[in-house]
Amino acid sequence: MDGNKKRGVSVREVLSYPALQLRLLAGGAGLDRSVSWAHASELEDPTPWLLGAEIIMTTGLALPRSAAGQRAYLERLDDAGVAALAVSVQLHMPPLRRAFFDTAEERGMPVLEVPLAVPFIVVAQEVAAAVQEDSRHRLGAQLQVFGALRWLAAENLDTATLFRRLENLSGYDVRLCTTQGRPLLPGVPVPEPSLVPQSADAPPTIPGGFVLPVPSPGGAAGFLIALERDGARPAGLAVVQHIATVAALQLAVIRTERETLRREGTEILAEMLQGTLDQEAAERRLLRHSLEGATELTVVRGVTEQALLRTLDDEPFLLLNRGEDRYLLGPPRLADTVAALPGVAAGASRPLPCGASLRIAQREARWAVSQAAASGRPLVRYGNDPAGRWLPDDPAALDALVEQVLGEVLRYDTAHDAQLLLSVRTWMERDRRTDDAAAALHIHPNTLTYRLRRFSALTGRDLSSTGAFTEVWMAIRSALELGLLD
C-alpha cells in the first residue's frame, strides 16, 4: 500500500531519534510514511482496531512461524495503512523468514528493530510527543541543551551553575554519580543509592524519570539520573541523553585539568624534596593545588599509583613516584585514608607548615614506612614511636652515630657477605628471645649466639649491658632513617 498522507512525523524521523536506538531491518523505500501513533499489539490481526499511520510494536507472540503466515501478517498491516512494524527480536520473536523480508521490500513496508534496553512505552512516548504540540517544546529544549556548550565557552560557567540551567530547561532534577555511587562532577548532587543501576546496560526508564550511563573512554564513567520535577514539562528521553553527553564532555574537561594539575604537582613535590624551592614560593604554588595550613609527607608502599588516585580523588594532594615508593604531600588526614587500602604500608612525617622544607619530613616518613613494612602495620606516624622521637633531626648527626657504633659491622657484612647486623636487629626486635629470632632468620640458635658474640667483638659493646644495648638500638634506628637498611 502507498504511504499514507496523514499529518505527523515520518518513519525516517522516528528512526533517526537517538533515544530510541532503532535499526531498519527491511522496507527502506517506505521511510517517508507519516506516523500518527505508536502502539504495542500481540494480536495476529490487529487491523480491525487500527486507524492507519500507526507504528505497530510486537515482541512476536502472535507472529506466525511459517513463511506464508508471516507474509500474510505483514500484508494485512500494510493494507490497513500501518506506517511501520517495530519488532523486539530478542524476546519471543520466531525466526523471521525470507518471505517476510521480501514482502517488506516489495511493499516498502518498514520493519524496525527495537533494542531490548528501550521499552515500547518509550517509543510510544517519543512518537506521541513528536506528533503533538509538545514536540515544539522538546525540540526547543534539545536546541538549548546543545547551547550549553556555547555557555561553557562564552560564560565560563562552573559545573553546578551549568547543570542548574539544564535542569530548568529539561524539567528534570539531575543527579550524577560514579558507578560506585560517589560524586561524579563537583556541585552536582548524587542520587539515592537505590536509583543507581548495577549495570550500564540497564533499561533507561525508572519510575518518574530516566537513568543513563555517562560515556567515557573504556566504559561508563557513571550514571545520570533525571527525575521529573513537580509542575514542570519534562522534555523526554532525547533531552536527557543530550544532558548525559554534556556531562561526559564536562567530565573530560575536568579530568584533563586534574591531570595537568597532577603533573604540575609532581614537579613541585620533586623540587621541594630536592630543596630547590624556598617556603614562600612553595606556599604560593601549593595554594594553586588547594593546599594550605598544616601538611604531612607520607611515603606509601604496596599499592599502585592508580589505587591511590582513586582513593584520594576528591582530596588536595601532590604525588611523586620514586621506584616502589609513592611520596604523598597533603593534609594530615590523607595518611589515615591511605591506611585503609589493602596491603599498604605507609609512613607519615610529623605535620609541618605549608611550603616548609621537606628535608627532615622526608627522613621521618622514610623511617616510618620502613617500620610499617617491618611490623605489618598499615600506617606508622613518626613521633609516635618511643625510640624514633629521640633521634636528632640532623642527618649528619645520625650518620655519625651509625659510623661510630655500626661502622665496623657494616663493612664486615659487606666484605664477608655476612648478616651480623640483620641478626642483631632481628634479635632486638623480638625482645632478645634467641629461639624466636633464630626461627625468623632460619638459622640454628647456636649460630645466632655466635653472631651476637661476633657483633659485640667488632663494635666493642656488650649487648647484655643496658647502656650498650640502647646505643646499638638507636644506631640501628638511625641507619633505618638514613635508608641504609631495608
Side-chain angles (χ1 to χ4, degrees), residues 14-27:
V14 175
L15 182 63
S16 71
Y17 293 165
L20 302 184
Q21 306 173 50
L22 302 176
R23 185 168 69 93
L24 179 66
L25 298 180

Side-chain angles (χ1 to χ4, degrees), residues 285-303:
R285 295 174 70 177
L286 291 178
L287 188 59
R288 171 171 160 77
H289 292 261
S290 302
L291 285 172
E292 53 186 336
T295 58
E296 193 174 76
L297 183 68
T298 304
V299 178
V300 184
R301 295 177 185 169
V303 296

Side-chain angles (χ1 to χ4, degrees), residues 407-445:
E408 289 298 326
V409 175
L410 287 169
R411 287 185 283 274
Y412 181 88
D413 278 350
T414 301
H416 298 85
D417 194 23
Q419 293 183 320
L420 296 184
L421 186 53
L422 174 62
S423 299
V424 170
R425 174 187 167 188
T426 303
W427 178 70
M428 287 182 163
E429 289 175 344
R430 282 158 178 76
D431 298 326
R432 290 171 283 185
R433 293 191 294 269
T434 302
D435 288 345
D436 290 351
L441 292 166
H442 305 291
I443 59 177
H444 194 277

Side-chain angles (χ1 to χ4, degrees), residues 362-426:
Q362 181 178 3
R363 176 175 60 78
E364 293 174 352
R366 289 178 58 184
W367 174 85
V369 75
S370 296
Q371 290 300 112
S375 65
R377 287 178 286 173
L379 174 65
V380 170
R381 292 184 181 276
Y382 186 90
N384 292 345
D385 177 79
R389 73 181 62 176
W390 301 111
L391 295 176
D393 289 336
D394 185 4
L398 293 175
D399 190 67
L401 177 60
V402 171
E403 172 59 29
Q404 179 183 358
V405 178
L406 304 176
E408 289 298 326
V409 175
L410 287 169
R411 287 185 283 274
Y412 181 88
D413 278 350
T414 301
H416 298 85
D417 194 23
Q419 293 183 320
L420 296 184
L421 186 53
L422 174 62
S423 299
V424 170
R425 174 187 167 188
T426 303

